[in-house]
Amino acid sequence: MYKHILFATDLTEDTDYLVDKVRSMRGLTGAKLSLIHVVEPLPGYSYAYLGIEDIEGQLIEEARQSIEKLGEKLQVAKSDQHIEVGPTKTKILKIADEVRADLIVCGSHGRHGLSLLLGSTANAILHGAKCDVLTVRLPEEK
Ligand code: AMP
């Protein structure tokens, strides 16, 4: 059975929905659990004119605080909470390789129209992962 689950979280309200599933999966398998959140880099111009300095640093700090809360909820040690900066799909797959995850859990939105053509993070993970991927269908947005 699975030995190491990597939970990819966008740290939005969708995360709450996924937490129960992740917890159950871990309970069923007795697997180790790691968390990954990716901060996408911002275009390289200054946001100082908006009165915001080092916006990327702030985003990383906010992400760190949120993932720590999630880590407490799911009892994941800080050393197994990963924050990466870069392209989301690439970084999730990199960490999955590094920690030797054998299951990645992520959410999946029902998509249609343009966003279906552009593809979702879940799709990208599914096509690039060397291990199994559990895509949890998220409730429709109202
Ligand atoms: P999306 O289709 O891009 O809305 O995202 C679907 C799922 O991909 C989310 O429910 C997360 O599991 C994962 N995901 C999306 N963005 C990120 C991110 N920045 N860091 C980690 N996981 C993410």
Side-chain angles (χ1 to χ4, degrees):
M1 242 309 163
Y2 298 116
K3 293 195 168 55
H4 196 154
I5 299 170
L6 180 65
F7 175 22
T9 170
D10 56 12
L11 297 173
T12 64
E13 60 277 11
D14 288 340
T15 301
D16 294 336
Y17 185 80
L18 294 170
V19 160
D20 287 344
K21 306 256 176 176
V22 169
R23 205 182 262 128
S24 311
M25 201 58 177
R26 184 208 222 168
L28 284 170
T29 57
K32 180 182 167 135
L33 178 61
S34 294
L35 309 175
I36 166 81
H37 174 74
V38 183
V39 177
E40 292 263 357
L42 292 161
Y45 47 83
S46 173
Y47 290 81
Y49 66 96
L50 291 175
I52 311 168
E53 299 288 347
D54 187 19
I55 192 161
E56 200 168 277
Q58 287 184 35
L59 289 175
I60 294 168
E61 185 46 38
E62 275 172 28
R64 195 165 300 286
Q65 289 175 16
S66 302
I67 210 168
E68 271 182 32
K69 278 193 201 142
L70 182 62
E72 277 168 29
K73 231 189 222 175
L74 283 168
Q75 291 171 302
V76 175
K78 280 197 187 157
S79 53
D80 299 321
Q81 302 170 10
H82 304 271
I83 302 272
E84 291 282 317
V85 180
T88 303
K89 173 203 155 192
T90 315
K91 293 293 179 178
I92 292 172
L93 296 179
K94 178 184 99 128
I95 294 296
D97 274 353
E98 275 178 25
V99 304
R100 296 180 182 203
D102 49 8
L103 180 70
I104 301 171
V105 178
C106 63
S108 155
H109 293 104
R111 302 226 177 220
H112 43 269
L114 189 59
S115 56
L116 181 64
L117 284 175
L118 291 173
S120 66
T121 308
N123 249 341
I125 296 171
L126 202 52
H127 287 110
K130 293 185 193 137
C131 62
D132 290 359
V133 179
L134 173 64
T135 54
V136 177
R137 181 64 186 263
L138 296 164
E140 296 289 327
E141 284 158 30
K142 299 258 159 69

